[in-house]
Amino acid sequence: MAPKQLSVESIRRAKVLMVGAGGIGCELLKNLALSGFEDIHIIDMDTIEVSNLNRQFLFRQAHVGQSKAKVARDAVLRFRPNINITPYHDNVKDSHFDVDFFKQFNVVLNGLDNLDARQHVNRLCLAAEVPLVESGTTGFLGQVTVHIKGKTECYECHPKPAPKKYPVCTITSTPSKFIHCIVWAKELLFAKLFGDKTQDNDLNVHSSDASSSSENSEDVFERKKDEDIEDYGRRIFDHVFGYNIELALSKGDTWKNCSRPRPIYSKDTFPGKSIKHNGNINKNVSTDDTSSVSAMASLGIRSPQDVWSLMENSKVFIEALKLFFSRREKDIGSLTFDKDDQLAVEFVTAAANIRASSFGIPLHSIFEAKGIAGNIVHAVATTNAIIAGLIVIEAIKVLQNETENYRMTYCLEYPNRNMLLMPVEPYQSNKSCYVCSKMPLSLEVNTHRSKLRDFVEKIVEAKLGMHSPIIMHGSALLYEVGDDLEEDMVANYAANLEKVLYDLPSQVAGGTTLTVEDMQQELVCSVNIKHRDEFDEEKEPDGMVLDGWSQPPVEKREENCTVSNAGTSNSSGRVSKSYEGVEIIGVEEESEAVTPMKRKLPAIISHGQDAAASPAGSSIPPDTDNHGEVQVVDEDDDMVMLDGVPEVFDGDSSTYKKRKLV
């Protein structure tokens, strides 16, 4: 059979699994259908949102709220009615998508938007020995990589940047960037006012007339009986932006190397009692429709691109709070921040801007604030189309078993040596990878203090990414999860979780080896236990250290609290513009940057040095000291950080420099 005939036949007979039907997925499904693929399966748990319509072209306004996988199938069948497309409106991590399910496919094509799901699919493909073509885009940048067991590296062979973490002390006391103010407004203030009030919160809740030594003093955030909503809003305003700032200023040592903030009180920003509306407050809005409630509409503020003054931010803050209590009171106590909740975005933007003003940080528009708070990296439809085309090209190579022609291809924003698409030969697997090379891990832990629960939550789930773990010491089963467990077994494992490692039925001490297995992923890890008495609470907040698992580089602690709005710089001095997912931690972590492996690249991008040693302005991009497709930070955008991308920033996250590389 001629090569061309072989190619057509292999395409026609191939059974393909697509994971993700979003920005990349829509383009990919169309490409597969028009390229001759006749048996396509799609998994996507999401429903269509209005914000998807500008780039996910298979969807229309009438489809909002419907399953992405099912609507995409119906749309493609209109112009390719004779092919088979099977949609699954499910989570790819559901138990029925197991190794046996994956084994039926010739190739798996990923268009996912989060690290956890990507790792899960990677492990299932390894266990099923099915080729995986991975992809991602962010703005004008994109990449496609091929992962085949025994032939190339797996998706987890090299570390991926974790969500950015900020210490509570920085968020609550010494913010220096606007994102610090956003985190404070979203994770602390919004959660305290409108979320679960039983949850711990690092905001100071005691008023100025409460005794500082009294733990039972009145919570200032509690609204008094029959208290006017605006009076309550002003009281909250004065407490968080006035009294708390004055309290912070009283701690003189904090401000030796920092710019001192200024307290802001409501009487200084808008002295009048009531806020005048534009006369059109919710006239045409049903009292049952809370989705359209907006402080901006009430105040007659129109453009989301404008940066509000301090007075405007103060008015929006009070108005948004009033609307929450008057129009959405039944939701208070159970709310969490949602980037698609207009009123929540308005409140967080106003609160963040007022706090930024207090600390001398530049203010931002609600459009910019929403992007930061929602971790949104805006997608470009053209990039998605390019990447989807490259995925199909690599999938055809896989089906043809053209191993020598596999390529990792990067899509660049600016030409590098007259090239916008940069192909790189796939790398060999990392011999230290615990996923594909089965390298044992080592855990330093105080076995007399740490509980089995700590090991499960901080190591097995958080770091190893296992969802259905089994933990064994020799032949002794210490922990297991599953729907088919008997009640006495469930009770026994629950009791084990609360025991320190040394006191478990099968004693875990220094020198012990634990076996950790995920039945769904068919992944088995060996963890060698090393007892250690003490840990640095700042640098090692988990109270345990895992070796052999590659932790991404962590930003160094800011020794001087110089107020600026600069981007975050990594260990090599480069600066990243992107806003990562944010998690608040009790202390700041410090660690040495992971030194990347040297890799031989094609002449078109060879740089002859470690990425960590690469100077700013080289062809190695910011925040990619390790090779990596990394975690997508927003469910609406298929985003990934790349290496080999000529992208340079000047140290200010709001200013992007276009620089032609030679």
Side-chain angles (χ1 to χ4, degrees), residues 205-422:
V205 301
H206 302 307
S207 60
S208 56
D209 56 355
S211 171
S212 60
S213 62
S214 173
E215 294 184 1
N216 298 318
S217 55
E218 182 181 2
D219 186 341
V220 74
F221 287 89
E222 287 293 331
R223 186 183 171 197
K224 299 173 183 176
K225 186 177 181 180
D226 299 326
E227 183 176 16
D228 179 77
I229 299 176
E230 184 168 328
D231 290 340
Y232 171 67
R234 285 175 175 266
R235 182 160 61 83
I236 297 299
F237 186 108
D238 291 342
H239 178 78
V240 296
F241 302 119
Y243 169 69
N244 277 358
I245 299 299
E246 288 190 353
L247 192 64
L249 287 170
S250 66
K251 302 172 183 177
D253 292 343
T254 304
W255 311 105
K256 286 183 178 179
N257 299 313
C258 301
S259 298
R260 294 169 63 86
R262 65 183 180 95
I264 300 174
Y265 288 93
S266 60
K267 61 182 176 59
D268 301 323
T269 57
F270 56 104
K273 160 67 177 172
S274 61
I275 300 172
K276 294 183 179 180
H277 300 283
N278 65 351
N280 297 316
I281 179 172
N282 303 318
K283 280 185 177 180
N284 300 316
V285 178
S286 166
T287 56
D288 295 327
D289 181 13
T290 60
S291 62
S292 58
V293 175
S294 166
M296 290 177 63
S298 297
L299 297 170
I301 300 173
R302 297 183 180 278
S303 175
Q305 306 286 351
D306 293 341
V307 177
W308 303 332
S309 66
L310 177 58
M311 178 180 289
E312 288 173 322
N313 278 292
S314 301
K315 289 181 177 180
V316 171
F317 178 91
I318 296 294
E319 182 65 15
L321 187 143
K322 288 170 63 178
L323 288 172
F324 269 117
F325 277 90
S326 62
R327 296 292 306 280
R328 299 177 59 177
E329 189 170 12
K330 65 180 180 181
D331 297 330
I332 293 176
S334 61
L335 285 170
T336 56
F337 178 81
D338 183 347
K339 71 181 186 305
D340 295 317
D341 183 336
Q342 176 65 18
L343 192 59
V345 172
E346 291 169 348
F347 178 86
V348 166
T349 299
N353 272 332
I354 298 167
R355 186 166 176 82
S357 179
S358 179
F359 283 86
I361 300 169
L363 310 189
H364 286 56
S365 69
I366 189 171
F367 178 81
E368 295 167 322
K370 179 179 179 179
I372 300 169
N375 299 323
I376 296 172
V377 178
H378 299 286
V380 176
T382 307
T383 313
N384 290 339
I386 293 170
I387 292 302
L390 291 170
I391 293 172
V392 175
I393 290 173
E394 294 304 321
I396 293 173
K397 293 178 187 176
V398 168
L399 295 174
Q400 298 282 79
N401 199 28
E402 298 178 9
T403 308
E404 69 282 358
N405 292 327
Y406 296 159
R407 291 293 182 270
M408 297 164 42
T409 305
Y410 298 110
C411 178
L412 312 181
E413 182 172 1
Y414 300 107
N416 189 355
R417 302 194 179 185
N418 296 320
M419 297 183 69
L420 281 174
L421 294 180
M422 187 171 290

Side-chain angles (χ1 to χ4, degrees), residues 48-49 53 56-66 71:
I48 299 162
E49 299 178 5
L53 302 181
Q56 298 176 20
F57 70 97
L58 295 179
F59 310 142
R60 298 292 183 267
Q61 181 72 41
H63 298 139
V64 171
Q66 299 181 39
V71 172

Side-chain angles (χ1 to χ4, degrees), residues 138 141 143 161 412-414 553 567-578 580 611-612 614-630 639-653 655-657 659 661:
T138 176
L141 311 177
Q143 70 183 32
L412 312 181
E413 182 172 1
Y414 300 107
T568 58
S569 60
N570 62 17
S571 59
S572 62
R574 296 187 299 277
V575 178
S576 170
K577 179 182 181 183
S578 59
E580 299 93 342
S614 174
S618 73
S619 62
I620 307 301
D623 272 355
T624 50
D625 287 348
N626 300 283
H627 160 66
E629 323 87 344
V630 301
M639 176 236 175
V640 70
M641 296 293 187
L642 314 168
D643 36 38
V645 182
E647 183 179 15
V648 181
F649 297 95
D650 66 353
D652 184 338
S653 64
T655 305
Y656 177 65
K657 285 187 176 179
R659 184 178 301 175
L661 303 180

Side-chain angles (χ1 to χ4, degrees), residues 18 47 64 115 190 200 207 220 259 316 411 437 471 476 480 485 497 568 590 594:
M18 278 179 50
T47 55
V64 171
L115 179 63
F190 184 89
D200 291 337
S207 60
V220 74
S259 298
V316 171
C411 178
S437 298
I471 302 173
E480 182 180 9
L485 297 178
L497 285 175
T568 58
E590 290 185 292
V594 178

Side-chain angles (χ1 to χ4, degrees), residues 132-170:
L132 169 66
V133 181
E134 181 61 75
S135 67
T137 67
T138 176
F140 294 102
L141 311 177
Q143 70 183 32
V144 174
T145 57
V146 181
H147 305 283
I148 300 179
K149 185 176 182 178
K151 296 181 180 179
T152 71
E153 65 180 5
C154 80
Y155 177 74
E156 297 176 73
C157 271
H158 297 277
K160 311 295 185 289
K164 184 67 181 176
K165 297 182 179 181
Y166 292 103
V168 167
C169 59
T170 296

